[in-house]
Amino acid sequence: MMPERGWILLIGILLVIAYGLMAMSPRTVVTGSVPTPLIVLDPGHGGRDPGAVAPGLTEKQITLAVAEDLGPFLRQQGFRVFYTRTGDVHLGPTVPADLNERVRLANTLAAALFVSIHVNTEPSGQVWGPIVYYVPESAESRRLASAITDTLRGIGPYHAPRPINQWVLRYTHMPAVNVEIGFLSNPSDRYRLAQPAFQIALARAVAQGITRYWHTAP
Ligand SMILES: [Zn+2]
């Protein structure tokens, strides 16, 4: 019996040594693992701030619905997703405080990308289709805006990406865009934006644009 017990003891000791060596080795030994990029999705407005309004429809509802559709598409593409809001809430006591909180969340989480979703409005009622905005100083943000615009072209009228000086885009530390998904002031857009099928189509196109951007070298 002794020799068998000896072997078992020896194997046990070897296992303990092997485990110890593995535990001591630096974590970088796990090769080939790329950190999963985190995208912060920012549904515009919320709570006491409805954003643009039309009869029976508010910007804050539409931005949340599209963002909720967008998250799963991005997760399918291997991204992690964090929402600045998942309910009908504002993130601060004032509009500037609300916007600062959205920026703070993205910067604190060191997000790879920041994607804000909004709905446009303008007085003539004639303009329709999505516009993707970026701050002009950020070449990567402009590249992201172009990639998203390219995929949005597949679902209807669209506009070229446009530079803008917006708080959440300026103060986030990563490539950031504001996807204005259409005009609540336009009857056609107003109709389309209220349709769940169109919201899904928008979300799918935005996710495709983000994915293409991410996998294309500058
Ligand atoms: Zn808005």
Side-chain angles (χ1 to χ4, degrees), residues 41-46 49-52 58-70 83 85 87 102 116-120 178-181 193 199:
L41 291 184
D42 177 43
H45 311 277
D49 171 18
T58 56
E59 179 180 354
K60 66 177 182 178
Q61 295 174 296
I62 301 168
T63 59
L64 184 58
V66 172
E68 282 174 344
D69 290 336
L70 176 53
Y83 288 94
R85 70 176 177 98
R102 294 167 198 258
S116 198
I117 307 287
H118 282 258
V119 180
N120 243 327
N178 172 13
V179 186
E180 296 267 1
I181 51 179
L193 288 169
Q199 295 169 353

